[in-house]
């Protein structure tokens, strides 16, 4: 059968082409439950042959679903565009949802006003669920309201204060940071300092905790300066560490952007990397290949984290309990260690 001309193909057209009942076609379109492999293949061939496309409005009326998912980011627009990790997660989540015929809607919620609007939108039936990225302690009340609405929600990373209450997919922040600090020590670096991320995020706290635990009795608060994951904060933190006149031969940064900023300050101070000071980051963001020399870092599996977020959210939308997944990281050796 060639594709129909002059009108939109219907389920009945697909059923006739496949030689199956209308109900079988409907079951295939809604997940393939209780359909044999042979019948499913016949229906899929018929869909391609007829050019049938699902009517999203009709499916929404029939299933009480919208086919849309919110991508909720509790960060500023400046941070969203400055940090390539967010764009990578957004793209990977959109690709994973597209495989299920679902659309991703970006929702920014940095200010109280934005969070109020986001809550109203997300809990008013416009989406089937939400993927929440980059949560901070000051957003806990907002997140509590969202969770109380019973909307299916999955988080990127472990949301502080809700660790055991919600589903999430995350990289092993603490394990990755511990491996990198141990790697620096295995290279003969004995005086380590740390540029930590914001302590109102799980990534910032976990990576600092790993640094502290590996150093053990050698740890002191003066070995740590704090940033907000931006490049400029890495510069400020590096200047602060240098000004303390605490000798160091390695710096572990909680993300790659801060590591890039720290390297700029080291270069301006005439401190050679890695000859005088080794530098390590976390993320394996594009900036890790742009520094001179290229940055040794901990790779987060952003594509896998995004795919798991989508899988867990669809499970929750379908009525299954919220799941939690932690994925391994790996060290990427380049020229700064």
């Amino acid at each position: 059968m060639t594709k129909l001309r002059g009108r939109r193909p219907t389920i009945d057209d697909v059923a006739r082409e496949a030689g199956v009942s209308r109900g079988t076609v409907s079951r295939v379109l809604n997940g393939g439950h209780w359909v044999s492999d042979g019948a499913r293949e016949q229906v899929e061939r018929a869909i391609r042959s007829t050019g049938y496309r699902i009517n999203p409005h009709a499916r929404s009326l029939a299933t009480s679903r919208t086919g849309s998912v919110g991508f909720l980011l509790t960060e500023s627009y400046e941070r969203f565009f400055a940090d390539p990790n967010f764009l990578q997660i957004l793209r990977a989540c959109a690709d994973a949802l597209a495989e299920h015929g679902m659309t991703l809607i970006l929702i920014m919620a940095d200010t109280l006003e934005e969070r109020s609007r986001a809550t109203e939108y997300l809990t008013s039936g416009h989406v089937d669920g939400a993927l929440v990225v980059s949560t901070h302690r000051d957003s806990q009340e907002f997140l509590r309201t969202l969770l109380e609405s019973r909307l299916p929600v999955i988080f990127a990373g472990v949301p502080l204060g809700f660790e055991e209450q919600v589903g999430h997919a995350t990289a092993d922040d603490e394990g990755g940071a511990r491996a990198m600090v141990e790697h620096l020590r295995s290279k003969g670096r004995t005086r380590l300092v740390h540029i930590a991320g914001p302590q109102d995020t799980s990534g910032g706290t976990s990576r600092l905790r790993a640094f502290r635990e590996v150093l053990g009795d050698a740890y002191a608060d003066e070995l740590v300066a704090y940033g907000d994951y931006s490049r400029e904060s890495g510069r400020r933190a590096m200047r602060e560490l240098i000004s303390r006149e605490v000798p160091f031969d390695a710096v572990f940064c909680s993300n790659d952007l801060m590591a890039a900023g720290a390297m700029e300050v080291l270069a301006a101070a005439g401190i050679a990397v890695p000859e005088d000071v080794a530098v390590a980051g976390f993320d394996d963001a594009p900036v890790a290949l742009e520094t001179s020399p290229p940055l040794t870092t901990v790779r987060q599996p952003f594509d896998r984290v995004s795919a798991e977020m989508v899988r867990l959210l669809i499970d929750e939308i379908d009525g299954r309990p919220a799941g939690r997944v932690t994925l391994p990281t790996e060290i990427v050796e380049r020229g700064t260690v």
Side-chain angles (χ1 to χ4, degrees):
M1 178 178 183
T2 58
K3 294 183 179 179
L4 299 170
R5 298 184 183 222
R7 67 178 178 85
R8 184 188 184 103
T10 67
I11 285 182
D12 292 325
D13 296 320
V14 175
R16 279 194 295 272
E17 177 73 4
V20 300
S21 70
R22 191 178 193 279
T24 297
V25 175
S26 180
R27 285 193 292 275
V28 170
L29 295 173
N30 286 285
H33 303 296
W34 307 107
V35 179
S36 69
D37 290 343
R40 188 185 66 253
E41 290 172 2
Q42 287 175 257
V43 171
E44 289 172 349
R45 281 197 298 270
I47 288 172
R48 291 192 294 271
S49 174
T50 60
Y52 175 77
R53 294 289 182 272
I54 295 172
N55 183 326
H57 179 65
R59 183 168 72 172
S60 176
L61 291 175
T63 64
S64 298
R65 293 186 181 178
T66 66
S68 298
V69 166
F71 185 92
L72 181 62
L73 185 66
T74 57
E75 296 284 355
S76 67
Y77 287 91
E78 292 78 12
R79 175 88 196 283
F80 172 66
F81 287 108
D83 192 332
N85 296 339
F86 295 137
L87 292 172
Q88 187 173 347
I89 295 171
L90 175 65
R91 184 184 66 247
C93 285
D95 290 344
L97 284 166
E99 295 179 7
H100 298 273
M102 302 180 78
T103 300
L104 192 64
I105 301 172
L106 174 61
I107 301 170
M108 305 293 288
D110 181 36
T111 67
L112 288 175
E113 184 180 355
E114 287 174 343
R115 291 174 187 178
S116 177
R117 290 198 302 267
T119 300
E120 178 66 23
Y121 182 84
L122 291 168
T123 60
S124 298
H126 297 292
V127 296
D128 299 322
L131 302 168
V132 183
V133 181
S134 187
T135 57
H136 297 259
R137 285 192 192 277
D138 68 355
S139 61
Q140 287 190 341
E141 189 59 37
F142 163 60
L143 297 178
R144 186 174 291 108
T145 301
L146 196 60
L147 294 172
E148 288 174 352
S149 74
R150 303 292 184 181
L151 178 76
V153 176
I154 295 294
F155 290 77
V158 183
L160 295 178
F162 299 92
E163 293 88 346
E164 303 301 323
Q165 301 174 39
V166 299
H168 57 257
T170 184
D172 185 1
D173 288 300
E174 190 166 341
R178 182 180 296 110
M180 180 56 82
V181 177
E182 291 173 345
H183 179 67
L184 289 166
R185 297 181 78 175
S186 75
K187 295 292 186 178
R189 307 292 175 160
T190 58
R191 302 185 303 276
L192 279 64
V193 295
H194 179 44
I195 296 180
Q199 296 301 289
D200 63 348
T201 66
S202 60
T205 58
S206 297
R207 296 166 201 175
L208 174 57
R209 182 165 57 247
F211 177 80
R212 181 187 297 117
E213 290 177 355
V214 175
L215 263 60
D217 293 340
Y219 174 81
D221 289 343
E222 65 182 354
L223 301 178
V224 180
Y226 296 89
D228 61 11
Y229 286 143
S230 69
R231 192 168 190 147
E232 177 54 36
S233 73
R235 296 187 190 102
R236 289 196 303 268
M238 192 74 261
R239 292 190 193 101
E240 181 180 341
L241 289 168
I242 292 173
S243 71
R244 292 176 186 173
E245 298 185 351
V246 176
F248 60 91
D249 59 9
V251 53
F252 168 51
C253 303
S254 195
N255 80 332
D256 292 344
L257 280 174
M258 292 196 300
M263 288 177 65
E264 293 171 4
V265 172
L266 290 171
I271 300 172
V273 176
E275 292 81 5
D276 300 326
V277 171
V279 179
F282 201 107
D283 284 341
D284 196 26
V287 71
L289 294 173
E290 299 168 3
T291 60
S292 181
L295 182 67
T296 293
T297 186
V298 178
R299 175 176 292 157
Q300 291 205 66
F302 288 117
D303 287 349
R304 290 185 62 196
V305 168
S306 301
E308 286 297 316
M309 288 172 64
V310 169
R311 181 183 68 81
L312 293 172
L313 183 63
I314 290 175
D315 279 351
E316 198 169 335
I317 290 171
D318 288 341
R320 290 183 283 277
R324 301 176 184 90
V325 175
T326 300
L327 296 166
T329 59
E330 63 176 313
I331 292 175
V332 180
E333 183 88 42
R334 295 197 178 99
T336 58
V337 173

